[in-house]
Structure formats: C-alpha cells, structure tokens
Amino acid sequence: MPVARRNFWAILLVAATCQVTSASAEPMACDDGIKAAFHPDEITTVIAVRQVKQGEELLAPDAPKPITAAADLCLVKLLVGPGVTAEKDKTARSYSEGIGIEVWLPTQANWNERIRNYGGGGWVGGGHRYADKIGSKVPAIVNANIGYASGTTDAGQPWYQDGSFAFLSDGEVNVEGLRDFAVRGMVEQAVKTRALVNLYYGKAPQFVYYDGHSQGGRQGLKIVQEYPELYDGYMIAQPALSIAKFGTTSLYPQIVMKTELGFTAINKPEAAAFAAKVEAANKRAVATCDKAGLGFLLDPFACDYNPARDAVLLCAGEAGDGVTGSNADTAACMSAKEADALNRIWYGGTRDGSVDPAQTAEARSGKALGAKQLWWTFTRGTSISMQITSASTDNFALGMQDVSYAADASATSGIPIANTSTARRNRWLELDYAGFAAGVDKNVALQPTLFSNLITDKADLSKLRDLGRKVIVWSGLADDAIPPAGNVNYHERVLAAMGGDAEVSKFMRMYLVPGVAHSSQGRSYTVTGKNDAVPLPKLPGNANQTPTRDKDQFFSALTDWVEKGVAPGEITLSSRDGSVSYPVCVYPRRTTWDGHGPATQPSSFSCR
C-alpha cells in the first residue's frame, strides 16, 4: 500500500483519538446536532441520526426475526467518500459514492466505555448509507444492547451480498471498489467510530475491540496485519483468509463433476442425485471415523475414509478398490466413478485432477500442500451439497478479469454477477483441470496490484506483538464455506515467522471447534441431524440478545486477556440439549476423547 495513503490514515487515527481534548467535554444528545458537530474530515457526511427506543424491533439483513432493543440507542449513519471515481454509470452495481458506516451508541448511562466494532460477511454491502434501512448484522446490534458502542460498514458498496460491484460497467476490474472492500472500509470504520464515540460521550473509550466472522474475520485480520494500532483486541471467527485460493478453488467440485461424471450444477437432476450420494458417503465417513460415537468428528483431519474401499457404500456388484459393492439402494449407493470423483473433491483442487493416496492427517490439516495441490478443501463429515448443486464462480471470474466466466442463475444459487459489458456467462464450463489451475494462479498473482491483497495472509505480526495487542481466532471443523485447513495453514505460517508457539501464544491464540459449521451465531452440523448434541460456543445473536459474560464465551476470554492480562486456556463448551460438554483447546492441542469414558462427560475429554 502506498506510504502516502498509510500516512493519511495514520493522521486520521490521531485526529480521531485526539478529537476530545478535555475530560470535561459535554456529551451530546441523539439528534441532528450530531450532523452539525461531527466533521472529522472533508470526506465524511452524517446521513442520518435516529433515536431507537427500548423495546423497538429492529430487522437486520441477516435476521430471521427482529431484534428487540434492550435499552435506548442512538443510530448514526455516515458516508465516507470519495467512492468509485472510475465509474460514471450511476445505475451500475459498481457505482458507489463512498463507504457506508453505521454506529450504534448506547445512552451515556448504559455505555460500558468500550467500542466493539463488528465485521461484515460475504460480499458485505447493505443499507448502511440509507436513512430508512439497517445494514448491520445481528451481532452488532446485540453488542450495543449490552453496552458497547458498535460500528459496522458496508465495505464501500451498497448491494448486500452481491459481488457484481467487483466489475466496472465496462467489464474491467473495479480496483477502487476492491481497495475499499479489502482494507480502506475497515480503517474508516475504526477511525470514524472512535471519533464519533469521543464526540457523543465527551470522552474516549477505555478499550476498543474488533469482532468479526467470515469476511468480517478477514477484515479484522487485515487490520491485525497492517494497522494493529486501531484496536486493543481482536475476536476473529472462521476468517475468510486466502480468498484468492479457497474462493477460487471452490469451483473445483464442478470441474471434477464435468470431467469425470459428465454433468455440472446446470444439470440439476444429476447434480441433486450426486449430492444425495455424497451425503450418504459423509454418513459412512463419520460412522467409520467417529470412535467416540458423537455423530460428528472431533478430528476430521485424521479421517481418511475412502468411498472406493467401502463395500457398504458402493452399488451392488460395483468393483471398487479391493472390494465389491453390496448396496442395493440406487439413490444412495455410489458407482466406482462417483467414488473416484468424490475422492478428488475431498482431496482438493489440483493441477491435473490427481489425488495423493498417501496424504497424511497432518497434510490434510493444513501443514503441507501436495506437489500438485492448489489448496485444501472441506473435511469429511462436512456438508458439501452446495458445492455440488451450485457453481461458485465469482472469485474465478474476478481472477480471470472476465465476467463471462461467472455463472448465471441456471448454475448458481447465489446472486449472479450483473454486468452489461457482455451477455456471455458460464464460460467456466470450458475449463479443464489445467485451465482451472491457471485461473487460480492468475488470481493469486494479481493480489498485490488489482486486488489490494484481499488474500490477507501476511505472517509477520511483529507490529501487533510490539504494541501488546491480543488476538483470538476460532474455526469450526465442519465449516462448509471456508476450509479450516487454510486457516490452520495461516497460523502455522505465523508460528514459523514469529518464533514458534511459545512466542505467538503471548499475543495470538487459535481454537479449532469440532462439529461447527459456518455461522456468525453458531451452527452445528451432524450427518444424523442431531445438531443440538454438538457443543457450541455461546455467541451474541438472535437467540442470545442480551448475553452475559458466560454467554459470550470467546469474547469474554479476549477481554480478560486485554484488560486483566489473563491469557485464555481451555474453554468448556456444552451442547444445546445439555447432553455433551468438553473443552476446546488452544492450538496446537486438540479436543481428544480418552477412548473409554462416556462421551457425554467432560472428564472423558482433554486437550492433547
């Protein structure tokens, strides 16, 4: 990033932290007086100030039902320019007047003198810049409910979860928009939230935290890597690191299906039938590897289940790898070709479609890529039906700088990329293994230039360490959106760059949580559907709208580390139905069953 731009943001930070110069500054009312008073720079405008009364129902874009305001709040909406100056077509998805920011402010009496900014998800976007809409996700509003000032951002584009903004209306890459999305939006969120808090309360916060999941986790780690001075502590959940790799290789199942089986997600009956067989194979994998009888895998990286060697899964009479199939259920059984295709998908993207049969558990866990392997994929025991029935093409098209590689509505369940430069779509159907690999390579190569290093994988965290900041990261081992091995790989790279576990654990700790799929509010996944029996972290959300310390587990561990110097250790999780409890462990230790005790008792588990 240019030195001039870094210096500009550094000046903004100093201005924000020094805006209130007197401890006796008067707090402000929640009214349009904020519009007149808040001028941190010439590019920031207050769009709206809204009083929210206790008991008012607020509908966030990710909420299945409204959130109830637990106390009076003040919502301030900002727009930070200049936006995408390269785009002149105001009707284009890539057009943007700037970065939208919402700040939720408890009353002076209810404020706990802390900021807890929250990240976005997916392609972010939302109603942050509109006076009559809410752009923030559920946890941000819940954080304000319990006394934190909480800022969120649309990351520079208003179209919720729509990746169309990444292309200008002429089909070129939206370099300005991607810069705002990759990094600038988060810097402005931090700086402007702090400046507004200083003004509104008449004093500076005691502590400032970042809290983000998925894309929001990547956003937080971008600040950790580049601007760690912006926060005292960082809560990072299931981060979307290495998007150029995992986001692009998420198309790989479609390449395997096309090449080995002769159909793709466009062929809906065939894709749905194959997805059902893959779920049946997942059940067999868990049944084979789940020694504790939990219904999910404590260590899915250790599971090397091979469907081609499972006579119970293979169709009757089908010749597998040393076995002959015995399954007469044609809807659930697999042919040898289908089993081979699933093995390729489970191995992860390669340059030629190959699989390394000698891959070790350590290699599957993220410690080492195979010679031809492009990136890791999802663990056995994780639902991958969406990767089978829907083509994930946005990142591939972006890396190719060609919107014609994007899927249309016939191939994807997501929001298809809208762009008028060409009507052509689904060019990804032309790809073979080599062409696919070339596209992944191209995306990675363009990261430092066109994409503002959206990849977010810098391992040198010496600035964060020297500032004494703290980071907690957690990833679910049944994550069905971001392969957890990729995040393990990043942590391993940090260990290698920063002096090993003994040194890194002084400022950054990671947890791997069994049975947990992708969700900012906690979502379990078992192949049997008994999801209430999976121990989950307690997180702010729709079902946890006024969380106490014990119902905000990972974040409470972070605040104790930052404010009291108490480093986090084992954290005990319990299932929703109360049937299973065990500790989750500071990496590299893992939750381990003792092999003989009842799997319902915490005493039967330890960290090893």
Side-chain angles (χ1 to χ4, degrees), residues 233-290:
Y234 296 83
M235 180 71 254
I236 307 295
Q238 300 183 290
L241 297 180
S242 304
I243 287 178
K245 296 177 181 177
F246 92 78
T248 311
T249 56
S250 60
L251 179 60
Y252 188 69
Q254 298 297 319
I255 307 302
V256 172
M257 290 158 56
K258 167 181 171 285
T259 306
E260 308 301 331
L261 302 177
F263 61 82
T264 68
I266 288 177
N267 309 104
K268 296 188 184 302
E270 292 87 348
F274 183 53
K277 295 183 178 189
V278 169
E279 288 306 299
N282 245 338
K283 290 182 180 180
R284 291 291 300 153
V286 171
T288 302
C289 299
D290 175 23

Tab-separated table of all heavy atoms in Angstrom, residues 233-290:
chain	number	residue	atom	x	y	z
A	233	GLY	N	-7.939	-5.315	21.094
A	233	GLY	CA	-8.119	-6.754	20.989
A	233	GLY	C	-8.965	-7.108	19.791
A	233	GLY	O	-9.834	-6.341	19.369
A	234	TYR	N	-8.719	-8.301	19.248
A	234	TYR	CA	-9.383	-8.753	18.023
A	234	TYR	C	-9.997	-10.133	18.240
A	234	TYR	O	-9.294	-11.089	18.580
A	234	TYR	CB	-8.382	-8.836	16.869
A	234	TYR	CG	-7.781	-7.511	16.476
A	234	TYR	CD1	-6.691	-6.972	17.169
A	234	TYR	CD2	-8.284	-6.781	15.403
A	234	TYR	CE1	-6.132	-5.748	16.802
A	234	TYR	CE2	-7.730	-5.566	15.027
A	234	TYR	CZ	-6.656	-5.056	15.741
A	234	TYR	OH	-6.102	-3.856	15.371
A	235	MET	N	-11.315	-10.224	18.025
A	235	MET	CA	-12.023	-11.504	18.072
A	235	MET	C	-12.305	-11.914	16.631
A	235	MET	O	-13.083	-11.260	15.929
A	235	MET	CB	-13.332	-11.317	18.840
A	235	MET	CG	-14.176	-12.583	18.979
A	235	MET	SD	-13.450	-13.767	20.099
A	235	MET	CE	-12.853	-14.994	18.955
A	236	ILE	N	-11.658	-12.980	16.168
A	236	ILE	CA	-11.695	-13.370	14.762
A	236	ILE	C	-12.304	-14.764	14.653
A	236	ILE	O	-11.741	-15.743	15.156
A	236	ILE	CB	-10.279	-13.378	14.153
A	236	ILE	CG1	-9.571	-12.036	14.387
A	236	ILE	CG2	-10.345	-13.749	12.689
A	236	ILE	CD1	-10.198	-10.861	13.696
A	237	ALA	N	-13.450	-14.876	13.979
A	237	ALA	CA	-14.137	-16.162	13.863
A	237	ALA	C	-14.204	-16.622	12.415
A	237	ALA	O	-14.585	-15.854	11.533
A	237	ALA	CB	-15.549	-16.052	14.437
A	238	GLN	N	-13.809	-17.865	12.172
A	238	GLN	CA	-13.905	-18.514	10.861
A	238	GLN	C	-13.521	-17.551	9.725
A	238	GLN	O	-14.289	-17.331	8.777
A	238	GLN	CB	-15.319	-19.067	10.669
A	238	GLN	CG	-15.685	-20.099	11.736
A	238	GLN	CD	-17.044	-20.725	11.566
A	238	GLN	OE1	-18.068	-20.084	11.747
A	238	GLN	NE2	-17.068	-22.006	11.225
A	239	PRO	N	-12.316	-16.984	9.784
A	239	PRO	CA	-11.957	-15.912	8.849
A	239	PRO	C	-11.794	-16.384	7.409
A	239	PRO	O	-11.302	-17.476	7.140
A	239	PRO	CB	-10.615	-15.407	9.401
A	239	PRO	CG	-10.048	-16.591	10.120
A	239	PRO	CD	-11.226	-17.289	10.731
A	240	ALA	N	-12.208	-15.515	6.481
A	240	ALA	CA	-12.126	-15.806	5.041
A	240	ALA	C	-10.750	-15.414	4.515
A	240	ALA	O	-10.618	-14.592	3.607
A	240	ALA	CB	-13.225	-15.065	4.293
A	241	LEU	N	-9.715	-16.028	5.093
A	241	LEU	CA	-8.355	-15.780	4.625
A	241	LEU	C	-8.098	-16.498	3.312
A	241	LEU	O	-8.793	-17.456	2.969
A	241	LEU	CB	-7.349	-16.264	5.670
A	241	LEU	CG	-7.395	-15.565	7.026
A	241	LEU	CD1	-6.337	-16.154	7.946
A	241	LEU	CD2	-7.184	-14.068	6.868
A	242	SER	N	-7.095	-16.031	2.586
A	242	SER	CA	-6.660	-16.687	1.355
A	242	SER	C	-7.799	-16.842	0.351
A	242	SER	O	-7.944	-17.882	-0.304
A	242	SER	CB	-6.045	-18.060	1.671
A	242	SER	OG	-4.992	-17.932	2.600
A	243	ILE	N	-8.615	-15.780	0.212
A	243	ILE	CA	-9.757	-15.832	-0.705
A	243	ILE	C	-9.318	-16.156	-2.131
A	243	ILE	O	-10.014	-16.887	-2.855
A	243	ILE	CB	-10.529	-14.497	-0.665
A	243	ILE	CG1	-11.319	-14.387	0.641
A	243	ILE	CG2	-11.480	-14.370	-1.853
A	243	ILE	CD1	-12.066	-13.090	0.805
A	244	ALA	N	-8.166	-15.648	-2.529
A	244	ALA	CA	-7.694	-15.922	-3.894
A	244	ALA	C	-7.486	-17.413	-4.122
A	244	ALA	O	-7.512	-17.883	-5.268
A	244	ALA	CB	-6.389	-15.171	-4.150
A	245	LYS	N	-7.300	-18.170	-3.028
A	245	LYS	CA	-7.075	-19.611	-3.146
A	245	LYS	C	-8.349	-20.394	-2.833
A	245	LYS	O	-8.869	-21.117	-3.667
A	245	LYS	CB	-5.921	-20.025	-2.237
A	245	LYS	CG	-4.598	-19.382	-2.645
A	245	LYS	CD	-3.468	-19.727	-1.700
A	245	LYS	CE	-2.159	-19.061	-2.124
A	245	LYS	NZ	-1.055	-19.331	-1.176
A	246	PHE	N	-8.883	-20.231	-1.617
A	246	PHE	CA	-10.067	-21.042	-1.292
A	246	PHE	C	-11.289	-20.571	-2.076
A	246	PHE	O	-12.134	-21.382	-2.475
A	246	PHE	CB	-10.331	-21.060	0.217
A	246	PHE	CG	-11.280	-19.995	0.720
A	246	PHE	CD1	-12.662	-20.123	0.571
A	246	PHE	CD2	-10.797	-18.866	1.360
A	246	PHE	CE1	-13.528	-19.144	1.039
A	246	PHE	CE2	-11.658	-17.890	1.830
A	246	PHE	CZ	-13.033	-18.025	1.664
A	247	GLY	N	-11.420	-19.259	-2.307
A	247	GLY	CA	-12.574	-18.756	-3.035
A	247	GLY	C	-12.573	-19.188	-4.482
A	247	GLY	O	-13.629	-19.466	-5.071
A	248	THR	N	-11.401	-19.267	-5.070
A	248	THR	CA	-11.291	-19.682	-6.474
A	248	THR	C	-11.408	-21.194	-6.613
A	248	THR	O	-12.097	-21.695	-7.504
A	248	THR	CB	-9.952	-19.185	-7.060
A	248	THR	OG1	-9.796	-17.801	-6.750
A	248	THR	CG2	-9.927	-19.343	-8.562
A	249	THR	N	-10.765	-21.932	-5.688
A	249	THR	CA	-10.815	-23.394	-5.790
A	249	THR	C	-12.170	-23.961	-5.364
A	249	THR	O	-12.420	-25.163	-5.544
A	249	THR	CB	-9.706	-24.052	-4.949
A	249	THR	OG1	-9.803	-23.614	-3.588
A	249	THR	CG2	-8.338	-23.709	-5.492
A	250	SER	N	-13.063	-23.136	-4.842
A	250	SER	CA	-14.397	-23.627	-4.501
A	250	SER	C	-15.179	-24.047	-5.748
A	250	SER	O	-16.192	-24.744	-5.652
A	250	SER	CB	-15.186	-22.566	-3.725
A	250	SER	OG	-15.348	-21.390	-4.491
A	251	LEU	N	-14.692	-23.659	-6.928
A	251	LEU	CA	-15.295	-24.114	-8.179
A	251	LEU	C	-14.855	-25.532	-8.548
A	251	LEU	O	-15.471	-26.180	-9.396
A	251	LEU	CB	-14.917	-23.134	-9.308
A	251	LEU	CG	-15.418	-23.427	-10.722
A	251	LEU	CD1	-16.948	-23.468	-10.768
A	251	LEU	CD2	-14.887	-22.388	-11.713
A	252	TYR	N	-13.833	-26.029	-7.883
A	252	TYR	CA	-13.214	-27.302	-8.279
A	252	TYR	C	-14.179	-28.481	-8.325
A	252	TYR	O	-14.102	-29.307	-9.256
A	252	TYR	CB	-12.040	-27.612	-7.348
A	252	TYR	CG	-11.205	-28.792	-7.773
A	252	TYR	CD1	-10.412	-28.735	-8.912
A	252	TYR	CD2	-11.199	-29.973	-7.024
A	252	TYR	CE1	-9.627	-29.825	-9.302
A	252	TYR	CE2	-10.421	-31.054	-7.394
A	252	TYR	CZ	-9.638	-30.975	-8.534
A	252	TYR	OH	-8.864	-32.044	-8.909
A	253	PRO	N	-15.111	-28.643	-7.379
A	253	PRO	CA	-16.040	-29.773	-7.494
A	253	PRO	C	-16.766	-29.815	-8.842
A	253	PRO	O	-17.017	-30.902	-9.388
A	253	PRO	CB	-17.019	-29.551	-6.340
A	253	PRO	CG	-16.208	-28.842	-5.313
A	253	PRO	CD	-15.321	-27.924	-6.106
A	254	GLN	N	-17.077	-28.629	-9.386
A	254	GLN	CA	-17.759	-28.594	-10.686
A	254	GLN	C	-16.840	-29.071	-11.815
A	254	GLN	O	-17.294	-29.736	-12.754
A	254	GLN	CB	-18.252	-27.174	-10.973
A	254	GLN	CG	-19.271	-26.659	-9.984
A	254	GLN	CD	-20.552	-27.476	-9.998
A	254	GLN	OE1	-21.035	-27.864	-11.057
A	254	GLN	NE2	-21.092	-27.744	-8.809
A	255	ILE	N	-15.554	-28.747	-11.704
A	255	ILE	CA	-14.597	-29.191	-12.723
A	255	ILE	C	-14.457	-30.710	-12.660
A	255	ILE	O	-14.408	-31.391	-13.700
A	255	ILE	CB	-13.231	-28.509	-12.524
A	255	ILE	CG1	-13.386	-26.985	-12.458
A	255	ILE	CG2	-12.258	-28.910	-13.626
A	255	ILE	CD1	-14.031	-26.368	-13.670
A	256	VAL	N	-14.413	-31.255	-11.438
A	256	VAL	CA	-14.341	-32.710	-11.281
A	256	VAL	C	-15.597	-33.367	-11.837
A	256	VAL	O	-15.522	-34.352	-12.601
A	256	VAL	CB	-14.155	-33.078	-9.798
A	256	VAL	CG1	-14.281	-34.589	-9.599
A	256	VAL	CG2	-12.809	-32.586	-9.286
A	257	MET	N	-16.755	-32.854	-11.476
A	257	MET	CA	-18.006	-33.445	-11.950
A	257	MET	C	-18.090	-33.432	-13.472
A	257	MET	O	-18.464	-34.431	-14.108
A	257	MET	CB	-19.190	-32.694	-11.330
A	257	MET	CG	-19.357	-32.942	-9.844
A	257	MET	SD	-20.285	-31.630	-8.996
A	257	MET	CE	-21.800	-31.588	-9.935
A	258	LYS	N	-17.741	-32.295	-14.074
A	258	LYS	CA	-17.793	-32.166	-15.538
A	258	LYS	C	-16.848	-33.161	-16.209
A	258	LYS	O	-17.215	-33.842	-17.183
A	258	LYS	CB	-17.411	-30.738	-15.927
A	258	LYS	CG	-17.121	-30.514	-17.406
A	258	LYS	CD	-16.725	-29.071	-17.647
A	258	LYS	CE	-16.222	-28.858	-19.077
A	258	LYS	NZ	-14.868	-29.382	-19.297
A	259	THR	N	-15.619	-33.250	-15.656
A	259	THR	CA	-14.587	-34.061	-16.303
A	259	THR	C	-14.798	-35.553	-16.078
A	259	THR	O	-14.635	-36.359	-17.008
A	259	THR	CB	-13.197	-33.649	-15.762
A	259	THR	OG1	-13.021	-32.241	-15.929
A	259	THR	CG2	-12.085	-34.390	-16.497
A	260	GLU	N	-15.160	-35.931	-14.857
A	260	GLU	CA	-15.218	-37.351	-14.501
A	260	GLU	C	-16.609	-37.957	-14.639
A	260	GLU	O	-16.724	-39.160	-14.879
A	260	GLU	CB	-14.728	-37.538	-13.053
A	260	GLU	CG	-13.381	-36.905	-12.746
A	260	GLU	CD	-12.250	-37.439	-13.611
A	260	GLU	OE1	-12.330	-38.613	-14.044
A	260	GLU	OE2	-11.293	-36.682	-13.874
A	261	LEU	N	-17.671	-37.120	-14.484
A	261	LEU	CA	-19.019	-37.671	-14.464
A	261	LEU	C	-19.902	-37.166	-15.594
A	261	LEU	O	-20.994	-37.709	-15.824
A	261	LEU	CB	-19.691	-37.363	-13.117
A	261	LEU	CG	-18.955	-37.881	-11.873
A	261	LEU	CD1	-19.683	-37.437	-10.617
A	261	LEU	CD2	-18.828	-39.400	-11.918
A	262	GLY	N	-19.465	-36.096	-16.291
A	262	GLY	CA	-20.198	-35.625	-17.459
A	262	GLY	C	-21.372	-34.717	-17.169
A	262	GLY	O	-22.215	-34.510	-18.044
A	263	PHE	N	-21.452	-34.145	-15.967
A	263	PHE	CA	-22.508	-33.174	-15.665
A	263	PHE	C	-21.982	-32.150	-14.670
A	263	PHE	O	-20.915	-32.337	-14.057
A	263	PHE	CB	-23.765	-33.866	-15.117
A	263	PHE	CG	-23.555	-34.624	-13.836
A	263	PHE	CD1	-23.564	-33.979	-12.603
A	263	PHE	CD2	-23.365	-35.995	-13.851
A	263	PHE	CE1	-23.361	-34.679	-11.420
A	263	PHE	CE2	-23.168	-36.715	-12.672
A	263	PHE	CZ	-23.163	-36.040	-11.460
A	264	THR	N	-22.736	-31.047	-14.512
A	264	THR	CA	-22.383	-29.991	-13.564
A	264	THR	C	-23.654	-29.545	-12.849
A	264	THR	O	-24.716	-30.145	-13.010
A	264	THR	CB	-21.759	-28.778	-14.285
A	264	THR	OG1	-22.774	-28.148	-15.090
A	264	THR	CG2	-20.576	-29.175	-15.152
A	265	ALA	N	-23.547	-28.463	-12.104
A	265	ALA	CA	-24.699	-27.925	-11.377
A	265	ALA	C	-25.817	-27.486	-12.307
A	265	ALA	O	-26.973	-27.395	-11.885
A	265	ALA	CB	-24.253	-26.746	-10.507
A	266	ILE	N	-25.481	-27.202	-13.556
A	266	ILE	CA	-26.523	-26.825	-14.525
A	266	ILE	C	-27.475	-27.990	-14.775
A	266	ILE	O	-28.670	-27.793	-15.011
A	266	ILE	CB	-25.870	-26.348	-15.838
A	266	ILE	CG1	-25.218	-24.975	-15.613
A	266	ILE	CG2	-26.884	-26.285	-16.974
A	266	ILE	CD1	-24.491	-24.429	-16.808
A	267	ASN	N	-26.942	-29.200	-14.686
A	267	ASN	CA	-27.759	-30.412	-14.864
A	267	ASN	C	-28.367	-30.767	-13.508
A	267	ASN	O	-27.859	-31.604	-12.772
A	267	ASN	CB	-26.898	-31.553	-15.386
A	267	ASN	CG	-26.087	-31.155	-16.612
A	267	ASN	OD1	-24.876	-30.923	-16.518
A	267	ASN	ND2	-26.747	-31.054	-17.747
A	268	LYS	N	-29.450	-30.104	-13.172
A	268	LYS	CA	-29.966	-30.124	-11.807
A	268	LYS	C	-30.345	-31.518	-11.302
A	268	LYS	O	-30.007	-31.864	-10.163
A	268	LYS	CB	-31.134	-29.147	-11.678
A	268	LYS	CG	-30.711	-27.699	-11.916
A	268	LYS	CD	-31.821	-26.727	-11.596
A	268	LYS	CE	-31.397	-25.289	-11.943
A	268	LYS	NZ	-30.185	-24.868	-11.243
A	269	PRO	N	-31.066	-32.351	-12.055
A	269	PRO	CA	-31.392	-33.685	-11.523
A	269	PRO	C	-30.143	-34.514	-11.225
A	269	PRO	O	-30.065	-35.166	-10.181
A	269	PRO	CB	-32.234	-34.315	-12.631
A	269	PRO	CG	-32.804	-33.159	-13.394
A	269	PRO	CD	-31.719	-32.123	-13.368
A	270	GLU	N	-29.179	-34.481	-12.135
A	270	GLU	CA	-27.954	-35.263	-11.939
A	270	GLU	C	-27.142	-34.733	-10.747
A	270	GLU	O	-26.618	-35.518	-9.941
A	270	GLU	CB	-27.098	-35.243	-13.200
A	270	GLU	CG	-27.701	-35.996	-14.385
A	270	GLU	CD	-28.630	-35.118	-15.223
A	270	GLU	OE1	-28.999	-33.997	-14.775
A	270	GLU	OE2	-29.004	-35.563	-16.327
A	271	ALA	N	-27.045	-33.389	-10.641
A	271	ALA	CA	-26.293	-32.800	-9.526
A	271	ALA	C	-26.961	-33.109	-8.191
A	271	ALA	O	-26.289	-33.431	-7.198
A	271	ALA	CB	-26.154	-31.296	-9.725
A	272	ALA	N	-28.288	-33.012	-8.140
A	272	ALA	CA	-29.009	-33.300	-6.900
A	272	ALA	C	-28.839	-34.764	-6.503
A	272	ALA	O	-28.667	-35.088	-5.314
A	272	ALA	CB	-30.485	-32.960	-7.059
A	273	ALA	N	-28.870	-35.655	-7.480
A	273	ALA	CA	-28.699	-37.077	-7.191
A	273	ALA	C	-27.298	-37.363	-6.659
A	273	ALA	O	-27.125	-38.145	-5.705
A	273	ALA	CB	-28.965	-37.906	-8.453
A	274	PHE	N	-26.292	-36.734	-7.267
A	274	PHE	CA	-24.918	-36.930	-6.798
A	274	PHE	C	-24.739	-36.342	-5.398
A	274	PHE	O	-24.077	-36.940	-4.540
A	274	PHE	CB	-23.937	-36.308	-7.786
A	274	PHE	CG	-22.486	-36.526	-7.423
A	274	PHE	CD1	-22.004	-37.801	-7.178
A	274	PHE	CD2	-21.620	-35.446	-7.332
A	274	PHE	CE1	-20.660	-38.004	-6.839
A	274	PHE	CE2	-20.285	-35.634	-6.997
A	274	PHE	CZ	-19.804	-36.917	-6.753
A	275	ALA	N	-25.341	-35.172	-5.134
A	275	ALA	CA	-25.252	-34.563	-3.808
A	275	ALA	C	-25.817	-35.492	-2.744
A	275	ALA	O	-25.261	-35.604	-1.637
A	275	ALA	CB	-25.987	-33.226	-3.790
A	276	ALA	N	-26.918	-36.179	-3.048
A	276	ALA	CA	-27.500	-37.113	-2.093
A	276	ALA	C	-26.546	-38.276	-1.811
A	276	ALA	O	-26.422	-38.741	-0.671
A	276	ALA	CB	-28.832	-37.636	-2.619
A	277	LYS	N	-25.849	-38.725	-2.839
A	277	LYS	CA	-24.888	-39.809	-2.651
A	277	LYS	C	-23.670	-39.347	-1.855
A	277	LYS	O	-23.118	-40.111	-1.045
A	277	LYS	CB	-24.462	-40.356	-4.015
A	277	LYS	CG	-25.603	-41.017	-4.781
A	277	LYS	CD	-25.124	-41.615	-6.089
A	277	LYS	CE	-26.276	-42.324	-6.811
A	277	LYS	NZ	-25.800	-43.095	-7.978
A	278	VAL	N	-23.264	-38.100	-2.068
A	278	VAL	CA	-22.144	-37.547	-1.298
A	278	VAL	C	-22.525	-37.449	0.182
A	278	VAL	O	-21.708	-37.738	1.066
A	278	VAL	CB	-21.728	-36.174	-1.862
A	278	VAL	CG1	-20.756	-35.478	-0.925
A	278	VAL	CG2	-21.112	-36.342	-3.252
A	279	GLU	N	-23.758	-37.065	0.466
A	279	GLU	CA	-24.188	-37.013	1.866
A	279	GLU	C	-24.217	-38.413	2.471
A	279	GLU	O	-23.883	-38.600	3.655
A	279	GLU	CB	-25.560	-36.347	1.977
A	279	GLU	CG	-25.525	-34.847	1.727
A	279	GLU	CD	-24.513	-34.134	2.621
A	279	GLU	OE1	-24.664	-34.186	3.861
A	279	GLU	OE2	-23.556	-33.542	2.075
A	280	ALA	N	-24.604	-39.420	1.682
A	280	ALA	CA	-24.561	-40.799	2.171
A	280	ALA	C	-23.118	-41.218	2.469
A	280	ALA	O	-22.851	-41.910	3.474
A	280	ALA	CB	-25.189	-41.742	1.135
A	281	ALA	N	-22.194	-40.795	1.615
A	281	ALA	CA	-20.779	-41.094	1.853
A	281	ALA	C	-20.281	-40.383	3.106
A	281	ALA	O	-19.469	-40.941	3.873
A	281	ALA	CB	-19.948	-40.683	0.635
A	282	ASN	N	-20.759	-39.161	3.337
A	282	ASN	CA	-20.396	-38.440	4.555
A	282	ASN	C	-20.827	-39.219	5.796
A	282	ASN	O	-20.098	-39.295	6.791
A	282	ASN	CB	-21.068	-37.058	4.560
A	282	ASN	CG	-20.070	-35.920	4.489
A	282	ASN	OD1	-18.903	-36.086	4.826
A	282	ASN	ND2	-20.530	-34.768	4.068
A	283	LYS	N	-22.023	-39.786	5.758
A	283	LYS	CA	-22.501	-40.579	6.893
A	283	LYS	C	-21.608	-41.788	7.119
A	283	LYS	O	-21.290	-42.143	8.264
A	283	LYS	CB	-23.937	-41.026	6.647
A	283	LYS	CG	-24.954	-39.900	6.698
A	283	LYS	CD	-26.369	-40.419	6.485
A	283	LYS	CE	-27.382	-39.268	6.548
A	283	LYS	NZ	-28.779	-39.749	6.349
A	284	ARG	N	-21.188	-42.411	6.042
A	284	ARG	CA	-20.290	-43.554	6.170
A	284	ARG	C	-18.927	-43.127	6.712
A	284	ARG	O	-18.310	-43.841	7.516
A	284	ARG	CB	-20.127	-44.241	4.807
A	284	ARG	CG	-21.379	-44.942	4.310
A	284	ARG	CD	-21.698	-46.165	5.157
A	284	ARG	NE	-20.606	-47.116	5.122
A	284	ARG	CZ	-20.342	-47.990	6.100
A	284	ARG	NH1	-21.085	-48.012	7.199
A	284	ARG	NH2	-19.322	-48.837	5.999
A	285	ALA	N	-18.447	-41.961	6.292
A	285	ALA	CA	-17.159	-41.458	6.790
A	285	ALA	C	-17.218	-41.241	8.292
A	285	ALA	O	-16.306	-41.631	9.036
A	285	ALA	CB	-16.780	-40.171	6.067
A	286	VAL	N	-18.287	-40.610	8.751
A	286	VAL	CA	-18.424	-40.347	10.191
A	286	VAL	C	-18.586	-41.663	10.947
A	286	VAL	O	-17.979	-41.876	12.001
A	286	VAL	CB	-19.601	-39.387	10.466
A	286	VAL	CG1	-19.882	-39.292	11.959
A	286	VAL	CG2	-19.299	-38.014	9.889
A	287	ALA	N	-19.394	-42.565	10.418
A	287	ALA	CA	-19.576	-43.858	11.083
A	287	ALA	C	-18.256	-44.606	11.215
A	287	ALA	O	-18.008	-45.296	12.214
A	287	ALA	CB	-20.582	-44.704	10.300
A	288	THR	N	-17.375	-44.445	10.222
A	288	THR	CA	-16.084	-45.123	10.237
A	288	THR	C	-15.095	-44.471	11.192
A	288	THR	O	-14.335	-45.162	11.885
A	288	THR	CB	-15.488	-45.138	8.814
A	288	THR	OG1	-16.396	-45.782	7.935
A	288	THR	CG2	-14.143	-45.854	8.781
A	289	CYS	N	-15.101	-43.158	11.267
A	289	CYS	CA	-14.048	-42.424	11.990
A	289	CYS	C	-14.467	-41.896	13.357
A	289	CYS	O	-13.619	-41.446	14.127
A	289	CYS	CB	-13.557	-41.256	11.136
A	289	CYS	SG	-12.817	-41.733	9.553
A	290	ASP	N	-15.754	-41.930	13.663
A	290	ASP	CA	-16.259	-41.371	14.919
A	290	ASP	C	-16.167	-42.408	16.036
A	290	ASP	O	-17.142	-43.068	16.380
A	290	ASP	CB	-17.706	-40.904	14.722
A	290	ASP	CG	-18.361	-40.411	16.007
A	290	ASP	OD1	-17.623	-40.016	16.929
A	290	ASP	OD2	-19.600	-40.432	16.075
